[in-house]
Amino acid sequence: MSQPSDATVSVPSKRTGTSEDDTQSPKRVKFDSEEQTSPSPSAAPAATPDLGSAAPTAAAPPQAKSKRDSSRRDAAGWAKSRKGKEKDTKNPGRRRGTRGDGEGRDAGEEPADKGQRLPKRQCALLIGFCGTGCAGMQIQPDVRTIEGVLFDALVRAGAVSQDNADDSVKVNLGRAARTDAGVHAAGNVVSMKVITQIPGVPDLVARVNELLPPEIRLWGYVRVQNSFNARLSCDSRKYTYFFPSYLLIPPKPGSGLHTTVHSQPPPSTEGAALRDAPSHSFWAEAGVHSKEDEMARKRRWRATSDMMKRLRETAKKFEGTRNFHNFTVGREFSDRSTQRHMKKIEVADPAVYGSTEWISVLFHGQSFMLHQIVSRKMMAALILSSRTGTPPQVIDELYGPRQVFIPKMPSLGLLLEHPIFESYNRKVAGVNGKLTPEDADFRPPIDFEIHQNKIDDFKQEQIYSRMRDIEDRGDVFDAWVRSVDAYSGSDLLYLNPRGIIPAAAVIKKGTRRGNPFREKRRFDVTDYSAAGKIEEHDDEEEEQEVVIDKSKLADMEG
């Protein structure tokens, strides 16, 4: 009898009996890269022309055909069911292809200290964080990020196995909203596969929070359907922007923006009267004031009812389905993806904290293109039009085909309240109809309300207090508005009494602008010096024509 080639592993049959069919049933064996079948030791080897010469096996008797076909079907079905996670014959339970931790160990061999493999479950993790000191939400190599800190805590808690600890992709990590550097979130959702039942860890949430810094919190987690994706399953998101009300004070007489606004032709006699009216009462006060004295006066200033009315009228212009191409980067008016729906914009009544009056604006939108940029540009258009007396209709103009430049507000005031999953919650509610929470197929809704008390306390301690403290010590918003008022070029000519975009303010693709507005990089961060001061140095950058791959743009939405 000829011997099998070196590549063939013979597997003894475990079946018993004297039937000829039993002794000739094909047995599953493994070659280097593919599955084959081999006869039992008592049968002649099958022809294997690609692995070496072997005598052909005699044809099976007719009466054995049915059982042989059945055996083949059983073998094929078994192979299909084990595709992608077949067991090593030396180490049952080990997934073939899993990366080993030490050199020289056979592929698939489990280290002695790894212990029992625990099952992973697709979950939605409800988190909150103060973004100060982190380079944004998404994991990046060699920098501190929210996801990086969270993932490390999950590994240390045992919710992510050591096999998966080197790569978050292995556990399908995703997020509902991708926040930029320094941006805060009272609520966000991370979807991933985690080990929820860990020996010696009775409360996973408490254990993870022990391992997290106080500015990052895990509110809870819920088991979700396997198809759940935090970004794709999210219906809408809520953001809040906070700013000191002194930003509504009109530009200082003699400043670049004041000259730009008042040099344009008024739309009517009434507009001319408004243009030629005496300076705002804040600037009409006699005397020369130092920068410190002026800042103290700004903090004591309070928004009037007329100003709040104008602010709310302009904010309403953002509601509905609009073309936001001027409020983002990398997209043009003709790009259909620039059409986004804003459900509601709410401007809260002013509130005083310390000596400064603050105003908050809530944005509830289905999705935001490059969301931090969009919301910060929306706020800039809202505040700048209100403080310059520009009619609310200018917002409608900004939805049109002409491209203009809109500066970004400081990151400091931006807060992601939480994402909303109405469609997913309705879906699981239907599935849960006849189930109880104890049933294995029961899927709870994603609900931040049950954690609201903890979230409110966290916002006050970790977000609002830091935000106000940085502003009080560093005058961040005042530095921003001074940089805007100092500009005397044509990029902001749409801030005028008529509320229209003049030709001089339109940006033409491929044409370099003269005296373009230059953004300050320091307003893109919220982590300042111990004194809270913004150093005055040349950190300006011109907003360039940016082309971003659409797949990357989609991932940057939130």
Side-chain angles (χ1 to χ4, degrees), residues 74-204:
D74 292 343
W78 185 84
K80 183 178 181 181
S81 69
R82 300 303 299 163
K83 184 178 181 181
K85 41 183 179 178
E86 88 188 1
K87 297 181 179 179
D88 187 90
T89 55
K90 294 181 181 180
N91 298 281
R94 171 70 174 178
R95 286 185 292 115
R96 186 174 296 276
T98 303
R99 183 188 61 81
D101 291 333
E103 294 182 358
R105 190 169 67 246
D106 292 339
E109 183 178 342
E110 186 77 4
D113 61 348
K114 284 255 180 144
Q116 181 182 5
R117 183 176 297 280
L118 300 173
K120 302 187 295 290
R121 301 286 183 258
Q122 182 75 357
C123 292
L125 280 61
L126 282 64
I127 66 172
F129 54 85
C130 170
T132 300
C134 283
M137 175 75 180
Q138 194 169 12
I139 286 181
Q140 302 174 49
D142 304 323
V143 294
R144 187 175 189 265
T145 66
I146 301 298
E147 284 181 354
V149 175
L150 174 65
F151 189 75
D152 179 67
L154 292 169
V155 171
R156 293 163 62 196
V160 174
S161 69
Q162 290 299 317
D163 281 344
N164 299 326
D166 64 336
D167 189 356
S168 61
V169 173
K170 294 180 179 179
V171 291
N172 297 338
L173 188 149
R175 78 288 308 165
R178 180 183 181 272
T179 56
D180 289 341
V183 175
H184 317 301
N188 201 356
V189 168
V190 170
S191 58
M192 62 185 293
K193 292 181 178 180
V194 297
I195 300 168
T196 58
Q197 301 297 322
I198 307 170
V201 182
D203 187 338
L204 178 58

Side-chain angles (χ1 to χ4, degrees), residues 310-363:
R310 178 187 292 273
L311 195 68
R312 291 187 172 106
E313 288 176 353
T314 305
K316 284 294 180 183
K317 290 289 186 178
F318 287 121
E319 294 182 349
T321 301
R322 309 293 187 181
N323 189 317
F324 284 92
H325 75 102
N326 270 322
F327 295 87
T328 186
V329 295
R331 298 191 184 183
E332 298 180 357
F333 174 78
S334 58
D335 189 338
R336 295 183 63 185
S337 64
T338 60
Q339 297 282 338
R340 298 300 164 106
H341 183 74
M342 297 299 298
K343 290 175 172 286
K344 195 170 186 179
I345 311 294
E346 294 181 324
V347 179
D349 291 333
V352 177
Y353 298 97
S355 62
T356 307
E357 182 179 68
W358 290 77
I359 299 172
S360 66
V361 181
L362 176 68
F363 296 85

Side-chain angles (χ1 to χ4, degrees), residues 103-413:
E103 294 182 358
R105 190 169 67 246
D106 292 339
E109 183 178 342
E110 186 77 4
D113 61 348
K114 284 255 180 144
Q116 181 182 5
R117 183 176 297 280
L118 300 173
K120 302 187 295 290
R121 301 286 183 258
Q122 182 75 357
C123 292
L125 280 61
L126 282 64
I127 66 172
F129 54 85
C130 170
T132 300
C134 283
M137 175 75 180
Q138 194 169 12
I139 286 181
Q140 302 174 49
D142 304 323
V143 294
R144 187 175 189 265
T145 66
I146 301 298
E147 284 181 354
V149 175
L150 174 65
F151 189 75
D152 179 67
L154 292 169
V155 171
R156 293 163 62 196
V160 174
S161 69
Q162 290 299 317
D163 281 344
N164 299 326
D166 64 336
D167 189 356
S168 61
V169 173
K170 294 180 179 179
V171 291
N172 297 338
L173 188 149
R175 78 288 308 165
R178 180 183 181 272
T179 56
D180 289 341
V183 175
H184 317 301
N188 201 356
V189 168
V190 170
S191 58
M192 62 185 293
K193 292 181 178 180
V194 297
I195 300 168
T196 58
Q197 301 297 322
I198 307 170
V201 182
D203 187 338
L204 178 58
V205 174
R207 177 55 182 154
V208 172
N209 280 329
E210 288 176 357
L211 300 171
L212 286 172
E215 65 268 20
I216 303 176
R217 294 289 88 184
L218 174 63
W219 305 127
Y221 68 91
V222 296
R223 175 80 185 278
V224 293
Q225 295 179 332
N226 290 336
S227 61
F228 179 84
N229 177 285
R231 182 174 66 86
L232 299 179
S233 300
C234 181
D235 294 305
S236 60
R237 299 158 181 87
K238 288 185 177 181
Y239 286 88
T240 299
Y241 195 92
F242 297 87
F243 68 95
S245 64
Y246 67 72
L247 292 188
L248 298 177
I249 299 172
K252 187 174 184 177
S255 66
L257 185 58
H258 179 273
T259 302
T260 296
V261 171
H262 287 263
S263 64
Q264 299 183 71
S268 62
T269 303
E270 180 182 355
L274 180 64
R275 181 195 65 180
D276 298 332
S279 298
H280 186 270
S281 59
F282 180 86
W283 303 113
E285 184 176 324
V288 178
H289 303 278
S290 66
K291 184 178 177 180
E292 290 72 20
D293 290 340
E294 186 175 292
M295 190 68 246
R297 292 178 58 236
K298 285 183 177 181
R299 297 200 183 284
R300 294 194 298 270
W301 186 84
R302 301 296 180 250
T304 65
S305 58
D306 288 343
M307 285 188 164
M308 293 304 298
K309 180 180 178 181
R310 178 187 292 273
L311 195 68
R312 291 187 172 106
E313 288 176 353
T314 305
K316 284 294 180 183
K317 290 289 186 178
F318 287 121
E319 294 182 349
T321 301
R322 309 293 187 181
N323 189 317
F324 284 92
H325 75 102
N326 270 322
F327 295 87
T328 186
V329 295
R331 298 191 184 183
E332 298 180 357
F333 174 78
S334 58
D335 189 338
R336 295 183 63 185
S337 64
T338 60
Q339 297 282 338
R340 298 300 164 106
H341 183 74
M342 297 299 298
K343 290 175 172 286
K344 195 170 186 179
I345 311 294
E346 294 181 324
V347 179
D349 291 333
V352 177
Y353 298 97
S355 62
T356 307
E357 182 179 68
W358 290 77
I359 299 172
S360 66
V361 181
L362 176 68
F363 296 85
H364 182 191
Q366 282 187 332
S367 62
F368 296 77
M369 300 171 297
L370 296 176
H371 49 105
Q372 270 73 63
I373 292 179
V374 170
S375 50
R376 288 167 62 191
K377 283 179 175 280
M378 290 170 68
M379 280 302 306
L382 175 62
I383 290 174
L384 293 180
S385 61
S386 296
R387 68 191 295 263
T388 57
T390 302
Q393 73 184 48
V394 72
I395 305 300
D396 295 325
E397 292 273 313
L398 296 174
Y399 299 137
R402 289 171 295 178
Q403 183 183 355
V404 300
F405 171 81
I406 304 174
K408 300 188 299 289
M409 292 284 288
S411 290
L412 180 62

